[in-house]
Amino acid sequence: MRNLFPFLDWVSTYKKAYFIKDLLAGLTVGIVLVPQGMAYAMVAGLPPVHGLYAALFPVLTYAFLGTSRKIAVGPVAMDSLLVAVGLGTLAITGVENYIKMVVVLALMVGAIQLVLGVLRMGFLVNFLSKPVISGFTSAAAIIIILSQLKHLLGISVENSNKIYETVLNIFYKLSEINLFDFGLGIVGIGLLIGFKKWNKNIPGILIIVVLGILAVYVFQMGAYGVKLVGNVPKGLPSFVIPTIDLEDLRQLWPIAVALALVGYLEAISIGKALEDKSGEETIQANQELIALGTSNIVGSLFQGYPVTASFSRSAISYDVGTKTNLFGVFSVLLVVLTLLFLTPLFQYLPNAILASIIMVSVVNLVDVKYCKHLWKNRKDEFFVLMVTFFITLFMGITQGILIGVLCSLLLMVYRTSKPHFVEIGNIGNSDYYKNVIRFADEVVVRDDLLIVRFDSQLYFGNSGYFKKQLLKHMKAKGPNLKGIILNAEAINYIDATAADMLTKLIHDIRERGIQFYMAGAIGPTRDIIFNTGIIKELQREFLFVKTKEAVDFYDNPNEISLLAAKVAYENSKVAKEKL
């Protein structure tokens, strides 16, 4: 039961002292969740109330199934943007049809996450490297900010999934700026930044929401063309089973896969970061997939849209001192109270205020510092980041993620196709063997013996490179070369292609009158050596545990052979005595 319902772990050890902290954390997160949920729903192209719907049953479901006791689940900027950009490429007419597609998308995202969790496929998220994540996150943040400019400026701009079209559309409408909207938005941005610098514990979002509503109500700013959220439906969402057809599935599956992986990645990364700070480790990767998947499925049945862990709200819950997932239940109760009693107040909330909340929230997603770090230290990964960034910015988030992952995999393949291959030499007649170039002043290099190290698995992608490098080093040694020792400590796998290559290479080397030795092979590699043709060509007596042993055998083959025979005889004698 604890495997199915992780909440039983913390319920069974719950203490009274936890209650106040969970209550405060839940209410604080709930206060931020209400305006953020409405704002992010607007980012997703939905009516604001659907952000509140997404903050109800998904959050409640995660409280019972989630393994992290710190993260706050609900609508987030990234998922909202992915929804907007993904569906923006489809020919959807009418608000009702758009809502229907978003609900189906949430169901698909949940189903994908749930299946991956049941199949224990949490490792898939490892294919999203940090440069890829940083690249598409930074691009997505810029797209979000530009998408909110129309609300900040109080102008009507045609939506577009291409950034240059959005910029041009805004540029052509600059003469129609509503100064009251612009003023409210700028004040909201200024206050949020000021509160963050002054004291991060101040609920800046709540304050500017209240001030914005009061300003509109007291000064009747609606009469001056200030655009408002308008009527927010009162009451809880109804239970509706989404209608699905094959055409919807065909159109939505790429964005659903991207949302499922990105949402899971966000939740895991946030949860792990908070665990590092608290020292408490409770997250189980595959169970998190099940929890998020179930949350999204349940949310789709109540007109919600895809959710995951929020950076900002999770940080708030941690700072307040939450102890268990019970804080999520208290956040839900606050959202319920809002939907039942407080929705009339939000009709006076300016869109410019919501836009200011979104802009300030997502601007930190543009990670310039990490970009500079890669430029200085890792040019190849900087290239992956920039490719992901520009593809996401000008073609779309789905394309950016897929091409970014492809670039990362190609980079990995390229690196493994040309791994570190180096000649090593003995240091001071000891057991240590080091790079002859890096430690040129310390190592002993011999003309008659070549000792090399290959720092990678040996497979079809680099077997040709291995052979080429070995022959190159053999040629450099000249005619005095009599023996070659391969230090195989870093070779953890040899595939069929590489095994065939190595077998033929050993044969060719011995045909030249040069002896071949292998040292340091670990257990799995030794198994492959013995299960393939390598051992027949290498011969068992030329396989050693340490490089030093191989060198000693090369220098004194007869003496070592006699010693080995004596040890074998003594071992057999002891065995007979035991019998």
Side-chain angles (χ1 to χ4, degrees):
M1 288 296 290
R2 291 189 181 210
N3 289 333
L4 293 174
F5 301 104
F7 80 95
L8 294 174
D9 274 334
W10 57 261
V11 164
S12 61
T13 58
Y14 199 82
K15 300 177 182 178
K16 290 181 179 179
Y18 293 170
F19 182 80
I20 295 298
K21 291 187 176 182
D22 285 341
L23 177 63
L24 289 174
L27 294 178
T28 306
V29 170
I31 288 170
V32 177
L33 176 58
V34 170
Q36 267 194 350
M38 296 175 70
Y40 293 151
M42 288 176 59
V43 173
L46 294 164
V49 72
H50 284 269
L52 299 182
Y53 294 164
L56 285 176
F57 293 101
V59 178
L60 198 60
T61 303
Y62 183 84
F64 291 101
L65 297 180
T67 56
S68 174
R69 301 180 186 180
K70 307 294 181 184
I71 65 174
V73 170
V76 298
M78 181 57 63
D79 279 23
S80 302
L81 179 68
L82 283 166
V83 169
V85 175
L87 296 186
T89 59
L90 307 179
I92 304 173
T93 57
V95 177
E96 292 300 322
N97 289 329
Y98 188 86
I99 293 172
K100 173 205 163 190
M101 292 292 277
V102 171
V103 170
V104 172
L105 179 62
L107 180 63
M108 291 177 65
V109 170
I112 292 169
Q113 290 175 330
L114 182 60
V115 170
L116 291 176
V118 171
L119 297 177
R120 306 187 69 79
M121 303 289 284
F123 70 89
L124 285 176
V125 78
N126 295 331
F127 289 103
L128 287 172
S129 65
K130 189 171 180 181
V132 172
I133 297 165
S134 179
F136 86 77
T137 301
S138 299
I142 292 173
I143 295 173
I144 292 174
I145 291 170
L146 290 174
S147 71
Q148 294 304 302
L149 277 178
K150 62 181 181 180
H151 299 299
L152 187 74
L153 301 175
I155 56 179
S156 298
V157 176
E158 189 176 332
N159 289 326
S160 174
N161 63 318
K162 295 180 174 62
I163 186 172
Y164 60 88
E165 290 183 356
T166 302
V167 173
L168 286 175
N169 290 339
I170 292 172
F171 179 77
Y172 292 141
K173 292 292 185 77
L174 287 179
S175 60
E176 300 176 14
I177 291 176
N178 185 312
L179 294 178
F180 292 97
D181 275 309
F182 184 63
L184 284 171
I186 292 298
V187 170
I189 291 173
L191 287 175
L192 283 174
I193 295 174
F195 287 140
K196 278 189 174 183
K197 289 186 176 180
W198 185 25
N199 189 338
K200 291 184 178 181
N201 295 324
I202 295 175
I205 293 176
L206 177 63
I207 291 173
I208 70 164
V209 166
V210 172
L211 290 177
I213 292 173
L214 287 175
V216 169
Y217 183 77
V218 172
F219 299 108
Q220 296 296 304
M221 299 184 76
Y224 298 98
V226 172
K227 293 176 177 58
L228 308 176
V229 168
N231 183 47
V232 178
K234 186 177 181 180
L236 300 177
S238 55
F239 178 85
V240 179
I241 298 177
T243 55
I244 306 173
D245 58 53
L246 291 177
E247 182 59 21
D248 291 342
L249 298 179
R250 186 190 68 79
Q251 290 181 316
L252 294 175
W253 77 263
I255 188 64
V257 171
L259 271 165
L261 293 178
V262 170
Y264 172 64
L265 176 66
E266 285 185 273
I268 287 292
S269 60
I270 295 169
K272 289 291 186 183
L274 294 179
E275 279 190 348
D276 289 340
K277 288 184 178 181
S278 65
E280 181 183 16
E281 296 184 4
T282 60
I283 288 182
Q284 300 172 22
N286 292 307
Q287 180 61 31
E288 281 298 291
L289 271 172
I290 293 173
L292 289 172
T294 308
S295 298
N296 279 311
I297 291 173
V298 172
S300 71
L301 301 177
F302 293 93
Q303 304 170 58
Y305 73 98
V307 300
T308 186
S310 163
F311 284 97
S312 57
R313 296 193 300 273
S314 298
I316 290 171
S317 70
Y318 176 79
D319 289 339
V320 175
T322 183
K323 292 296 183 181
T324 67
N325 289 358
L326 186 61
F327 86 92
V329 177
F330 293 130
S331 296
V332 169
L333 291 176
L334 191 59
V335 176
V336 169
L337 291 174
T338 301
L339 283 168
L340 293 178
F341 305 109
L342 302 177
T343 52
L345 295 176
F346 287 102
Q347 65 180 312
Y348 298 105
L349 180 61
N351 285 341
I353 291 295
L354 289 179
S356 67
I357 293 172
I358 294 168
M359 287 179 166
V360 174
S361 298
V362 304
V363 72
N364 290 327
L365 294 176
V366 181
D367 198 346
V368 177
K369 184 178 179 181
Y370 183 67
C371 186
K372 289 181 178 178
H373 169 74
L374 290 184
W375 171 251
K376 290 180 179 178
N377 302 292
R378 305 299 296 267
K379 293 290 195 301
D380 50 358
E381 294 192 48
F382 173 80
F383 171 76
V384 172
L385 186 151
M386 296 309 295
V387 167
T388 307
F389 176 81
F390 285 112
I391 294 295
T392 303
L393 204 57
F394 293 104
M395 293 183 63
I397 287 186
T398 306
Q399 295 91 329
I401 293 173
L402 292 177
I403 293 175
V405 169
L406 179 61
C407 287
S408 292
L409 293 177
L410 288 175
L411 179 61
M412 180 190 70
V413 171
Y414 174 77
R415 285 174 178 166
T416 58
S417 68
K418 293 186 176 181
H420 192 223
F421 188 105
V422 65
E423 180 183 356
I424 57 177
N426 184 249
I427 295 182
N429 200 31
S430 66
D431 290 344
Y432 295 101
Y433 288 80
K434 298 293 183 181
N435 188 329
V436 297
I437 297 175
R438 184 172 296 180
F439 298 91
D441 296 334
E442 303 176 42
V443 300
V444 176
V445 180
R446 298 170 56 170
D447 294 333
D448 63 325
L449 181 63
L450 173 64
I451 310 173
V452 294
R453 191 181 71 227
F454 189 70
D455 295 336
S456 173
Q457 60 174 296
L458 196 54
Y459 75 111
F460 66 93
N462 60 25
S463 59
Y465 175 77
F466 174 88
K467 180 179 179 180
K468 181 180 178 181
Q469 290 296 309
L470 184 59
L471 293 175
K472 177 182 175 182
H473 281 77
M474 288 172 59
K475 185 177 180 181
K477 283 291 182 180
N480 294 327
L481 182 63
K482 301 299 180 184
I484 299 173
I485 299 174
L486 171 61
N487 182 302
E489 291 175 359
I491 302 176
N492 55 17
Y493 181 73
I494 304 175
D495 75 351
T497 303
D500 185 58
M501 177 278 300
L502 192 57
T503 302
K504 292 178 180 177
L505 184 60
I506 294 172
H507 177 79
D508 292 343
I509 288 172
R510 286 187 169 168
E511 285 289 309
R512 299 183 186 186
I514 301 172
Q515 187 58 54
F516 191 91
Y517 309 82
M518 192 179 294
I522 60 174
T525 306
R526 291 173 68 90
D527 291 340
I528 295 171
I529 291 170
F530 279 96
N531 293 331
T532 60
I534 297 174
I535 193 63
K536 294 179 181 178
E537 200 62 52
L538 177 65
Q539 299 177 19
R540 188 184 298 263
E541 60 266 30
F542 297 100
L543 185 64
F544 298 89
V545 175
K546 295 180 179 180
T547 303
K548 178 67 172 174
E549 294 175 357
V551 174
D552 290 341
F553 185 88
Y554 168 79
D555 289 332
N556 303 289
N558 296 327
E559 181 180 332
I560 299 296
S561 297
L562 289 171
L563 179 61
K566 182 178 180 181
V567 170
Y569 173 76
E570 293 295 333
N571 288 340
S572 63
K573 185 177 179 182
V574 171
K576 287 179 181 179
E577 290 176 355
K578 286 183 178 180
L579 288 173

